Structures are given as structure tokens and as C-alpha cells.
Amino acid sequence: MMRLPKVNHRLSFLSLPPFSLPSLTTSVRTHGHLRTHHSKRFKSISTMPCRLGNLVPLNSIAAENVGSRSNASVSSTSTTEEEEALACKYQLPPPEIKDIVDAPPLPALSLSPQKDKILFLKRRSLPPLAELARPEEKLAGLRIDGKCNTKSRMSFYTGIGIHQLMPDGTLGPEKEVHGYPDGAKINFVTWSLDGRHLAFSIRVFEEDNSSSKLRVWVANMETGQARPLFQSPDVYLNAVFDNFVWVDNSSLLVCTIPSSRGDPPKKPSVPSGPKIQSNEQKNVVQVRTFQDLLKDEYDEDLFDYYTTSQIVLASLDGTAKEVGPPAVYTSMDPSPDQKYLLISSIHRPYSFIVPRGRFPKKVEVWTTDGKFVRELCDLPLAEDIPIATSSVRKGKRAINWRADKPSTLYWAETQDGGDAKVEVSPRDIVYTQPAEPLEGEQPEILHKLDLRYGGIYWCDDSLALVYESWYKTRRTRTWVISPGSKDASPRILFDRSSEDVYSDPGSPMLRRTPAGTYVIAKIKKENDEGTYVLLKGSGATPEGNIPFLDLFDINTGSKERIWESDKERYYETVVALMLDYEEGDLLLDRLQILTSKESKTENRQYFIQKWPEKKACQITNFPHPYPQLASLQKEMIRYQRKDGVQLTATLYLPPGYDLSKDGPLPCLVWSYPGEFKSKDAAGQVRGSPNKFAGIGSTSALLWLARRFAILSGPTIPIIGEGDEEANDRYVEQLVASVEAAVEEVIQRGVAHPNKIAVGGHSYGAFMTANLLAHAPHLFCCGIARSGAYNRTLTPFGFQHEDRTLWEASTTYVEMSPFMSANKIKKPILLIHGEEDNNSGTLNMQSDRFFNALKGHGALCRLVILPFESHGYAARESIMHVLWETDRWLQKHCVQNPTDASAELDACKDEVSNGVRDSDNQAVVASGGGGPELADFEHEGFYSLPR
């Protein structure tokens, strides 16, 4: 289901792009903070060398030997490659890969509310494994660091630099925020409404290597001087859910750890009874494979212990007042007029089968000083939300303040019981009501929708845009309503397919109001009384994305393109409106926008453009993060699947590559399938050939430094038109898509036909295993990271499949590479995080798939990464993943002796002779002309040090 980003009325920060790109954060607030990711610590690591699946404990290695090295592998340099491969010690990849990953990250950027200052938020490189290994509690879908009383694995900033934006568009010299302890870890950076202060949390690791709890600090933006918000050193932040928010220019609401809280509850040494779950009422309860759930009463008590907060209203003058009773508060949202608070909390009874987002939820309105006004809803436990996409919770949902009113609430309520399979009209109703309604005053119906409500952009009483969508049909509609006029009939502004990116008109640009909220920006043209807004869009075209900014007449639908990205060399985007805090409509001839600009080889920079001249002034000058790849070659290529579907991919070639001199290269294909309802939409081009090649720490593009060709993101559309279910022909369409991609790079002469490897992460790993099972003639080996390979272990749906195993058993079985393990004859490297908490991809999937492969004599290898989740974070883990991948590619791709052309011919001969497997796919029993099974090297399971 298409959803708008949650639109609240305060300043927010956008999520960060890959670490190699400088990111700038400016949009509307979700919870008012720039959130960073994942970190932990531990003291020692033991290693286990392995032989053919047997684990034999070795002596432990001190933490400093593993966590702090930078120039050498833990393993002895005198060992051979095979000894290194079997000795379970962390390894380092070749220097040309390691140096790119270790490059210092560029800062994140944040604009002040008045757009007169920019923060440079300093970041460090990859964290050591010691941080991930810190103890954590797994409760209700959360992972909590008990020492810090926050979510575990949380990254941080190391410093804050302030730059004044000068009148000529340049940046002034940097002024460091100072006054906090050396080595402090900074999180939740938040501007005050007037931009004069900054609030953030810090934590400091003590000498005993344990973490301190978080404290709130504030900094003066003119001087950079920082100080604690609370005078008492014993007031700590509870950052498990919402943490703090500015109420006005001089006070904040803070979720604190209750001062009366004692030690954590102790787990009983002897249980009081068995663990029992019951469905004696015969309710139909279907849930996905959620992880880290509560297991017993002790877990419930522990969840309450860490998540219960005391809200405190704290002023910059040092005064503080407790507001409301202690509870498990999940969000605090002040009204635009700063008179009321929208308070959400969860409470018992909890559940052992669904995470905290479905626990009973209470939403109340308080005054800012903590007086209870009224209860909006108290939703019961929601274990029975149907698994069909577009199903939702019963009752009030998406409760928010109107951004254009002082204190008016709005929300949506489902009319179909939350079940997407129920046909009803209307399906959703949007209501609105004052914070304190008059006695007997009922909520007012704002709008009725036949699809699923997706959000509202507010402007004023004459204009708001309401969004609705339906995933099953991919239909999305935008309505124009006049909230203050009952006589004005709602009308449809856009009605289109969400898959049709070519028809995307863009989304409205928002402006900041004096109250600190964000609303649709109205634009005034000289001598024109029309109602204009700005629509910014990605500008998808058959030649790639060309972002744009349109001046759109909301009444007539006419539009004028007032800005467009360069088409030939650069990729530019509109980031934010400048001068948007002035009252009244914005004048077109005084318009100022912040844009970003990048190219295939030039890092992203930021510019200010002013109307009417539209002259661009560059305000940043970030260096290239990996100059050794500055001259890489990038091309967006198009080709066709055998059923006529148009496909695209991005082809990268190493710096200095010359086809006539260098010939075909070993090639790595890295992708992730997607589902579509139409062939036309599936064939549309997405992305831009001119975007900078951002290289993440586990990116396939790292192998450009090893002289590989990289085919990145070849589109693999799994199409189900009309009433057809896409996954019923998953294997057929998967093979056809990838076969077309492989044929394209071979035809171009850039890829050696018997040196093409395939890889992917998560659903891409699932793809990889299926390709080695059903298209062995295409690839010499595969790399599958953090995948799910047996769909019967996810019986109530996966991805967008909303049929159960019992409703589509044939599809579940045929899609599962686990069921085709006997067909996989090409080398496959499986990698998985030991603490994977992603729904459906628990590490048992890789463990059992490896055993199935080994049971059929397949050449396979399984690497389990201690303390890692679905994505990998620690430097040791990432470096080792890169080492494993490079070793696999060098051994089974670069040095692959298989004659792929003969293999392909043999495969085609078998197809022409009618030899097919049960999935109606061609099968090569001998492994496609490769060595006989008895000649395959057998490599055992092993676990990295723990």
C-alpha cells in the first residue's frame, strides 16, 4: 500500500543515504529527531576453527586484538589460503577493497528552521564488533541496551559543527559545539523552533567499559556552548520509544527514567508453571514470522521496566516539572499553538505472538502542563490483523494535529474491519475534531475514501490534498478538498497507477509556518490570481530520471516547468524551499530553493538557486570519498525479456577499462526481484545514469577495484496481470529476466561467459539460490546473504504474497530453493547474521539450507556472523564478509575453468529435447558441463568467533 511519509507539523530530518554521500536533512518531522543506527560492545571473543562442519573450541582472543586492529588481519600472514579459510578468525579483504570501506565518512547535514545555519554532524567509520556484542534484551520486537536504556546497536555522531549561511550563499567558518565531555556519543539532534538552540543526547563510556545512561544537553547556536538541560545529574533519558521534543522556544518535554525505579526484575530460577498459549475461542489469527517477541511473564515485567517513562517538562532556565503518571509512552506531540499534548502509550495485556506495535494503545489529549483533557481511544490488542496487504488495525489510526490549525485533530477509521478482503464503500473515513470539543460535539467527517487512506498534506481552509491507494490494483488517487467549506465538493486531482512512474506528477513542496509546522506552499505570480503550488518529482523518463519542479495551478491543472535537472551530465534534485518562513504566499520572482547536484564521477554537492535569475551558488565542496574509483564507467542499459518485457540495469566497468584492449571481464550480477501488475509498468526505466556511484560498506561495486564488471540492479519483474498471482510464475519469470541480462553483457563483450557470478541480500539471496537451482547454465557461482530459502517456514505470507501456505501450497514449494537443493551444483556461499531479527529470515533458514545442500554433495560454505542482525554493522564482520566474497569470486569465478559456452549449448539442447524438471525449467543433471560431483571440493560449516 502506498503511504505518505508520516506528516507531522514540526521540523524533522530525513533518513541518511549511503555513507559515501553527504546527506542533508530538512523535511517535516516524524518524531523531531535525526535518528542513527546500531551499536554495541563486548570484552572478549573466542574463535572456533572448523573441519567439515565440526566445531572445535580454541583459546579466546582478547578484544583489543580483534576490535582495534586496522592494518593487519588477526590471522597469521604465513598461513595458506586454505588454512585461513578453515581457521575461524576474522580476515581482511584485499587493500583495494579495505581502503574504500575504511575511508572516513562525510558528515550529515541539517538546516536550521530559519535556513540561516547548517549543521555538519560528524560521523565515524564502522563500529568495532565489541559494540554489537554488548548485552541486549529482546523484547516485543525491540532490542534494548539495558545499560543505556535505549534501543541497542545505536550509532551516534562524534561532533557538531555550525556553519552560518552567508548572504552571498557561501558558508561561514565552522564553529564547534563544545562543553560536553570528550568522547561523548551524540544522538537525537533537534533544533528549537526559533533555531536559537539545539537539543541532543550524550552518553559517555565509563572506565569499566560499561555505558552510561543518556542525558539531554542543549547548546546555544550563537556561541556553540553546550550544557546539561537538567541541573540534577541523576535525570536520565529513556530513549526506547519517543525521547524528547521542543514544546516552544524555551522548553522541552522529556521522557525520563522514573527516579523511583529500582533494579531490573530478576528471572525466577524455577518457573511458576508451564508456558501456555490458547485459542479455545477458535479465533482466526494469522501472523507473519515476527522475531524477538515476549516469551513469558518475566519478559513482560522486563519490558515494562525498560519502557516505562516519566514525562518531564523542562525549561532552559533549569526548572523542571513532572507531567502525568509513569507509563509506557510511545509518542508526545505538542499542538501547533503549544497548548495541548497528544500522548500515546501502550499497556497490558501484552502478546506473545505479535510485537509492541499491536499491543493495546491509548491516545489522550493533555494540556501542556499535564492536565488530562480527554481520551481519544483505547485500542485493544490487535493480534488478528489480516495478512492481506492493505489490511490495517481496527479503530482510530493515524491521529495527528492539523498543521494549519492551532489545535485541531484528525484521524482515519476503517469501515471494513481492517480486512482488505472485505468489499465495502466507503473503506475509510477521515474525521476531524477540536482538541476540546464542546459538550455533545461529534467528530466531523472530513472525507470518505473507497481505497485505503494514505495521508493528508494541509495548506489552509481552502486547500488540502488527501491520498488513498490500494496495493492489489496499484491504484492511487489524490483528492483536493476544502476543509473549511462544506459547500465545496471534493474532486480527484490525480488518479493513476502507483507503478506507472512516468505519470507521477510529483508531490507538493511544504513551507514552514510561524508556529513551526509545515504546510503546502502557495505560490503567487505577479498579476495573477490563480492558486499555484509547487510539485517536485523524480521525473522518470525512458532515458532515466530527470527531476523537476512544476508550478501547478490547483484549479485548472495547468502546469509550468520552472526548473529541471540537467539531462546530459548531472543529476540534480530539489531539496528544500528557502525563505519559506516568511508569512503570506511565496512570490515566484523571490523564490529560493536548495538543490543537490552530482554526476557519475562527482560527489553530491549542494547549491542555492534564486529567482528570477536562477543562478546557482555552490555552498559545499565535499571531496570524492574514494578517488581510486573516480573514473569508473557507468551506463544504464536496456534490453528485452523473451516475453517482450523491457528491462534495465546499470552496468559499471572499472576505471581505465578498454574493451578492445582488456576484453571480457569476470562479472558480478547483484539484484533483487520486484512484483508488478502490468508489463508496461515493469518495463519503465527507474533511476538515473548520471547519479553518483555511492558505494556502501558491503556494496557489490567494491569489486570494481578488483577489475570486475558489475551489473547492478538488473530489473527482475515478477508480473501478475489481472487476477493472476505474480508468484505463480516466479521461477519462470526470474530465469527469463536474468537470462536476458546475462545475454546482454555477454553480447556487449564486457563479461566473460563462464565467469559470471550472481549475488543478493535477503530476497536477493532467495533469488540467488533459485537461479543456481533453475538456471545453472548462467552462472559459475553465487553469494547469498541473509536469505530465506524455505517458504514453508513463513506460512502466513512473505514479501507481498498474502496467500497462506495452505492456500497456495504449490507456489510456496516451487518458489523454495530449499526444495530444489538437490539441483544446485554450482558453488554457493551462504552468509547470515546470527542475530537476524528480520521477519522471515531467521538464521535457521541458512543453517537448514546448508545442511540440505551438504546432504546432496553441493559445493557450499556457510558463514554465521556473531552478533550481527539482518544487515551487517561491525567492521570485523563487514571486512570478513568482503574477504569471504572476494575469496569465493577469485576461486570460483576468476579461476573458473568451466566452458560456459558448451554448457549453454548443452542446456539449450536439453530444452529442445524436452528435458525439463517439475518446475517446467530446463535442468542440467551433470551441473552443466562442469566437473563431476565427486570432484567438487567439500567445505564445511563454520561459525566465526564468539
Side-chain angles (χ1 to χ4, degrees):
M1 179 177 70
M2 187 279 292
R3 289 184 182 273
L4 288 179
K6 181 180 176 185
V7 177
N8 273 354
H9 59 268
R10 305 279 184 185
L11 180 67
S12 177
F13 303 89
L14 303 178
S15 59
L16 305 181
F19 75 94
S20 59
L21 298 178
S23 58
L24 189 128
T25 59
T26 59
S27 187
V28 292
R29 135 175 129 76
T30 54
H31 289 297
H33 305 300
L34 186 96
R35 300 189 183 275
T36 51
H37 311 280
H38 314 322
S39 66
K40 291 184 81 179
R41 177 185 291 268
F42 77 140
K43 294 184 178 179
S44 65
I45 304 175
S46 62
T47 59
M48 296 182 181
C50 319
R51 298 295 186 271
L52 302 180
N54 298 318
L55 304 183
V56 183
L58 267 190
N59 295 332
S60 63
I61 297 178
E64 55 268 21
N65 290 339
V66 181
S68 60
R69 71 190 187 283
S70 59
N71 296 318
S73 170
V74 174
S75 62
S76 169
T77 56
S78 63
T79 58
T80 67
E81 181 197 0
E82 291 306 314
E83 289 173 336
E84 287 178 339
L86 291 173
C88 298
K89 299 178 181 180
Y90 286 100
Q91 308 288 343
L92 291 175
E96 53 265 47
I97 290 178
K98 171 186 166 296
D99 291 347
I100 295 173
V101 177
D102 273 341
L106 296 170
L109 274 62
S110 174
L111 273 172
S112 67
Q114 284 70 32
K115 313 294 172 60
D116 60 341
K117 295 182 179 67
I118 297 181
L119 297 183
F120 279 47
L121 303 170
K122 315 297 177 59
R123 297 183 276 186
R124 64 168 181 178
S125 52
L126 300 173
L129 185 63
E131 293 193 5
L132 269 68
R134 287 181 45 79
E136 63 183 357
E137 304 292 345
K138 301 174 181 178
L139 303 168
L142 286 171
R143 293 185 173 182
I144 298 173
D145 185 331
K147 293 289 186 181
C148 295
N149 216 105
T150 186
K151 292 176 183 177
S152 62
R153 304 166 180 254
M154 191 170 66
S155 189
F156 54 87
Y157 297 111
T158 58
I160 304 173
I162 309 167
H163 290 268
Q164 188 76 30
L165 188 58
M166 308 306 288
D168 62 359
T170 60
L171 291 183
E174 183 170 275
K175 182 188 304 177
E176 284 280 349
V177 173
H178 58 278
Y180 52 82
D182 292 339
K185 303 177 186 299
I186 301 169
N187 291 96
F188 312 124
V189 179
T190 313
W191 290 94
S192 64
L193 303 184
D194 60 4
R196 297 176 60 187
H197 291 88
L198 201 68
F200 52 93
S201 71
I202 68 165
R203 50 195 161 115
V204 180
F205 285 86
E206 308 294 349
E207 292 182 0
D208 63 356
N209 211 29
S210 66
S211 172
S212 71
K213 295 181 176 63
L214 281 70
R215 300 186 64 196
V216 182
W217 282 58
V218 291
N220 183 297
M221 287 291 93
E222 292 303 319
T223 65
Q225 179 66 45
R227 60 177 177 81
L229 173 65
F230 295 101
Q231 294 180 351
S232 170
D234 299 322
V235 180
Y236 298 108
L237 183 66
N238 188 336
V240 174
F241 289 116
D242 209 355
N243 35 65
F244 57 84
V245 61
W246 288 93
V247 177
D248 53 36
N249 294 327
S250 61
S251 59
L252 300 96
L253 277 177
V254 184
C255 280
T256 67
I257 297 174
S259 58
S260 59
R261 191 180 80 172
D263 295 330
K266 294 184 178 180
K267 188 170 187 175
S269 56
V270 178
S272 59
K275 299 177 181 178
I276 298 173
Q277 297 186 52
S278 173
N279 190 36
E280 296 179 44
Q281 297 79 20
K282 298 183 179 180
N283 296 324
V284 176
V285 178
Q286 300 179 348
V287 296
R288 294 280 177 111
T289 47
F290 299 118
Q291 300 192 51
D292 296 343
L293 301 176
L294 300 178
K295 300 180 292 297
D296 49 33
E297 291 182 3
Y298 167 71
D299 275 0
E300 292 181 309
D301 293 340
L302 206 59
F303 178 78
D304 279 338
Y305 177 83
Y306 286 116
T307 60
T308 297
S309 297
Q310 172 64 62
I311 298 178
V312 174
L313 181 63
S315 176
L316 296 182
D317 63 10
T319 60
K321 172 189 174 183
E322 291 187 352
V323 175
V328 184
Y329 297 110
T330 57
S331 68
M332 311 171 294
D333 194 9
S335 62
D337 63 3
Q338 305 165 6
K339 293 182 180 179
Y340 299 97
L341 303 174
L342 188 62
I343 302 292
S344 298
S345 61
I346 57 178
H347 60 83
R348 298 191 184 215
Y350 298 145
S351 171
F352 297 154
I353 65 172
V354 294
R356 77 279 180 190
R358 298 191 182 186
F359 288 176
K361 178 181 179 180
K362 184 181 293 184
V363 183
E364 299 174 331
V365 177
W366 299 356
T367 61
T368 305
D369 58 2
K371 293 180 181 178
F372 175 81
V373 175
R374 65 180 176 122
E375 180 183 287
L376 285 172
C377 62
D378 191 353
L379 304 177
L381 179 65
E383 292 182 330
D384 59 348
I385 298 177
I387 61 174
T389 307
S390 299
S391 295
V392 295
R393 189 174 191 159
K394 301 174 186 176
K396 293 183 175 69
R397 72 182 195 278
I399 306 173
N400 286 295
W401 298 109
R402 273 186 62 167
D404 62 328
K405 290 291 183 180
S407 53
T408 299
L409 293 160
Y410 70 99
W411 64 88
E413 291 188 42
T414 179
Q415 307 300 300
D416 57 11
D419 190 347
K421 293 184 177 181
V422 173
E423 295 296 332
V424 65
S425 178
R427 189 173 292 277
D428 273 342
I429 298 179
V430 182
Y431 294 92
T432 183
Q433 192 177 40
E436 285 195 80
L438 300 175
E439 185 174 353
E441 183 180 1
Q442 296 300 310
E444 177 184 339
I445 294 178
L446 182 69
H447 194 48
K448 296 181 179 181
L449 301 165
D450 284 335
L451 308 182
R452 188 64 78 205
Y453 168 73
I456 300 179
Y457 283 128
W458 298 97
C459 183
D460 52 31
D461 273 339
S462 68
L463 175 63
L465 299 181
V466 183
Y467 290 76
E468 63 173 340
S469 64
W470 197 246
Y471 178 77
K472 202 70 174 178
T473 61
R474 308 303 199 273
R475 189 179 186 184
T476 178
R477 294 196 295 199
T478 305
W479 291 83
V480 177
I481 65 172
S482 298
S485 175
K486 296 182 179 180
D487 297 331
S489 299
R491 59 184 176 88
I492 293 178
L493 185 64
F494 305 119
D495 188 349
R496 47 181 292 273
S497 168
S498 60
E499 290 184 337
D500 182 9
V501 293
Y502 291 170
S503 70
D504 187 353
S507 55
M509 295 207 68
L510 306 181
R511 60 167 297 170
R512 188 177 185 274
T513 69
T517 67
Y518 278 79
V519 299
I520 296 173
K522 277 188 176 180
I523 305 298
K524 180 176 291 188
K525 292 176 67 175
E526 188 175 357
N527 301 321
D528 192 328
E529 298 301 321
T531 301
Y532 295 95
V533 299
L534 294 172
L535 297 181
K536 72 168 183 176
S538 59
T541 74
E543 289 72 44
N545 288 1
I546 305 172
F548 64 83
L549 186 64
D550 282 349
L551 186 66
F552 184 80
D553 190 320
I554 206 75
N555 295 318
T556 67
S558 63
K559 59 184 178 182
E560 174 190 352
R561 188 142 298 179
I562 63 172
W563 178 91
E564 188 175 66
S565 171
D566 178 89
K567 301 177 183 179
E568 302 303 324
R569 179 181 174 187
Y570 291 101
Y571 178 78
E572 301 171 280
T573 64
V574 176
V575 178
L577 285 174
M578 308 294 282
L579 297 179
D580 61 343
Y581 50 86
E582 298 180 354
E583 293 198 42
D585 293 350
L586 302 181
L587 300 177
L588 180 60
D589 60 4
R590 291 190 59 207
L591 190 66
Q592 290 188 29
I593 60 173
L594 184 72
T595 62
S596 67
K597 184 177 182 179
E598 60 196 271
S599 74
K600 298 175 184 179
T601 58
E602 297 172 78
N603 201 4
R604 181 183 302 164
Q605 308 294 348
Y606 292 95
F607 296 76
I608 291 180
Q609 296 197 23
K610 300 180 180 181
W611 266 250
E613 298 86 2
K614 299 185 185 180
K615 182 180 178 181
C617 177
Q618 183 172 342
I619 62 173
T620 61
N621 189 24
F622 295 112
H624 198 295
Y626 20 87
Q628 58 270 56
L629 293 180
S631 59
L632 62 80
Q633 302 173 44
K634 175 184 177 183
E635 180 184 359
M636 184 174 286
I637 63 175
R638 301 199 69 181
Y639 48 98
Q640 185 171 290
R641 204 163 74 178
K642 61 185 177 181
D643 60 359
V645 176
Q646 294 293 319
L647 304 175
T648 61
T650 304
L651 176 63
Y652 292 88
L653 297 170
Y657 172 76
D658 186 327
L659 176 61
S660 61
K661 296 179 180 178
D662 301 325
L665 299 172
C667 178
L668 175 58
V669 178
W670 199 271
S671 194
Y672 192 100
E675 296 175 17
F676 291 86
K677 287 301 293 181
S678 79
K679 291 181 178 180
D680 289 342
Q684 292 182 353
V685 177
R686 292 161 173 83
S688 169
N690 295 325
K691 289 195 71 172
F692 182 73
I695 302 179
S697 57
T698 56
S699 171
L701 300 186
L702 289 165
W703 273 269
L704 290 169
R706 297 284 279 168
R707 306 297 295 175
F708 270 71
I710 308 297
L711 193 66
S712 178
T715 50
I716 304 176
I718 311 299
I719 304 166
E721 293 190 307
D723 294 330
E724 181 187 21
E725 294 288 347
N727 285 335
D728 288 347
R729 294 196 303 120
Y730 172 84
V731 172
E732 173 190 341
Q733 296 189 69
L734 170 68
V735 172
S737 298
V738 178
E739 196 165 44
V742 169
E743 289 177 356
E744 178 67 19
V745 292
I746 292 175
Q747 183 179 358
R748 285 171 171 261
V750 298
H752 200 295
N754 63 330
K755 296 183 179 183
I756 302 177
V758 64
H761 188 95
S762 194
Y763 206 49
F766 176 76
M767 168 205 76
T768 297
N770 265 308
L771 287 169
L772 294 187
H774 301 293
H777 58 289
L778 296 178
F779 301 106
C780 59
C781 66
I783 300 104
R785 300 191 318 218
S786 298
Y789 309 101
N790 184 352
R791 296 275 60 124
T792 69
L793 296 178
T794 57
F796 290 108
F798 54 91
Q799 296 292 107
H800 289 293
E801 177 60 69
D802 54 17
R803 296 170 296 173
T804 70
L805 168 64
W806 299 272
E807 293 170 327
S809 55
T810 300
T811 296
Y812 272 67
V813 171
E814 290 182 350
M815 285 183 70
S816 298
F818 179 85
M819 304 301 180
S820 300
N822 61 315
K823 302 174 186 176
I824 296 179
K825 308 302 180 183
K826 295 299 179 68
I828 183 169
L829 171 63
L830 304 174
I831 302 174
H832 217 120
E834 189 174 31
E835 303 295 333
D836 192 331
N837 62 344
N838 184 55
S839 176
T841 57
L842 61 167
N843 61 48
M844 175 181 67
Q845 289 271 7
S846 287
D847 191 7
R848 292 186 177 180
F849 186 42
F850 172 77
N851 286 326
L853 292 167
K854 188 171 63 170
H856 290 89
L859 198 167
C860 53
R861 181 176 176 89
L862 172 61
V863 180
I864 299 295
L865 302 170
F867 308 112
E868 293 290 353
S869 186
H870 190 58
Y872 317 138
R875 181 178 185 274
E876 292 89 342
S877 302
I878 287 172
M879 291 296 182
H880 190 87
V881 166
L882 300 177
W883 178 82
E884 291 278 1
T885 304
D886 188 71
R887 172 186 174 273
W888 204 253
L889 292 174
Q890 295 298 322
K891 185 172 185 178
H892 302 296
C893 183
V894 175
Q895 302 170 19
N896 178 40
T898 303
D899 184 350
S901 58
E903 177 182 351
L904 184 58
D905 291 340
C907 183
K908 289 179 178 178
D909 288 343
E910 292 194 2
V911 173
S912 64
N913 292 330
V915 181
R916 293 181 177 271
D917 66 6
S918 60
D919 291 325
N920 201 34
Q921 298 298 313
V923 59
V924 182
S926 68
E932 293 299 317
L933 184 61
D935 296 331
F936 274 112
E937 173 188 354
H938 187 88
E939 298 185 354
F941 165 88
Y942 82 105
S943 175
L944 281 174
R946 175 150 189 174

